[in-house]
Amino acid sequence: MSAVLNLFDSSHALAKKAYRRFVNEGVHQPSPWDKVTGQIFLGRPEFLERIERLVRGQPLANVPTVQTRPIRPSSEDVLTHVAETYRLDVEAVLNRSHRDAYQTAVYLLRRAANEPLQTVALRFRISPSRVSKIQKAIEMVSLSPQQVRAFAKCKVKN
């Protein structure tokens, strides 16, 4: 503990006071873990972009795919991008009221956000095999103009 206190002040009494103030200021702050991307990255967008450039094209044996894309969009980002592209609210995408938007979201949640198959299936109340069929169908046809825009927002090439 003395090594930590020395970071705050060389005087033990002042260091304890500064440490206590530091902890109290952080108690009601949002958790930094909420901002972690790709399971391991924490930092400003510029830092994440720099890391992604450094990783791109490198042989990464035994590194999970999710850890190779620090600027991968979150699931919430994907749903927001799809909803905005189709001029819907996120709830309309999730309740499948617009077929193309919902299928685009299913595909991008898997490809862009790297959301697990089962999670996507539960989110849309469909079977995992249906998720797979949607993915395959989107990969077999030309994209609609809205899909092209949603894919670009999520940085997915098809």
Side-chain angles (χ1 to χ4, degrees):
M1 182 68 170
S2 62
V4 172
L5 290 176
N6 286 338
L7 296 171
F8 289 88
D9 202 286
S10 57
S11 159
H12 187 72
L14 292 175
K16 282 175 66 173
K17 189 175 184 179
Y19 177 74
R20 199 174 289 117
R21 185 174 52 249
F22 173 76
V23 170
N24 285 333
E25 287 173 2
V27 167
H28 297 291
Q29 297 299 314
S31 170
W33 296 111
D34 294 340
K35 297 193 184 322
V36 171
T37 63
Q39 297 177 340
I40 59 172
F41 300 101
L42 180 62
R44 292 192 174 112
E46 302 82 34
F47 168 76
L48 299 175
E49 288 170 10
R50 191 175 104 227
I51 295 300
E52 186 155 304
R53 280 193 308 274
L54 290 170
V55 169
R56 194 175 301 130
Q58 296 295 316
L60 300 169
N62 300 318
V63 177
T65 303
V66 70
Q67 294 179 1
T68 65
R69 293 207 34 221
I71 55 174
R72 181 182 294 277
S74 69
S75 300
E76 291 74 26
D77 292 338
V78 168
L79 291 170
T80 299
H81 291 324
V82 171
E84 288 172 354
T85 299
Y86 287 90
R87 297 184 178 162
L88 303 167
D89 58 34
V90 171
E91 194 55 42
V93 174
L94 290 171
N95 70 25
R96 302 178 302 185
S97 64
H98 189 287
R99 183 176 183 261
D100 196 43
Y102 128 72
Q103 290 184 349
T104 302
V106 165
Y107 185 84
L108 290 173
L109 285 169
R110 294 283 295 134
R111 282 284 313 276
N114 200 36
E115 195 168 85
L117 184 74
Q118 189 68 36
T119 304
V120 175
L122 288 171
R123 183 186 295 274
F124 287 97
R125 297 175 312 281
I126 58 177
S127 70
S129 65
R130 180 71 184 127
V131 172
S132 295
K133 288 176 185 171
I134 290 169
Q135 284 184 263
K136 191 172 191 171
I138 286 178
E139 290 170 352
M140 301 295 287
V141 299
S142 296
L143 299 178
S144 70
Q146 291 93 344
Q147 286 173 323
V148 170
R149 284 197 301 277
F151 278 46
K153 284 183 180 180
C154 294
K155 297 181 177 156
V156 169
K157 294 177 184 165
N158 193 18

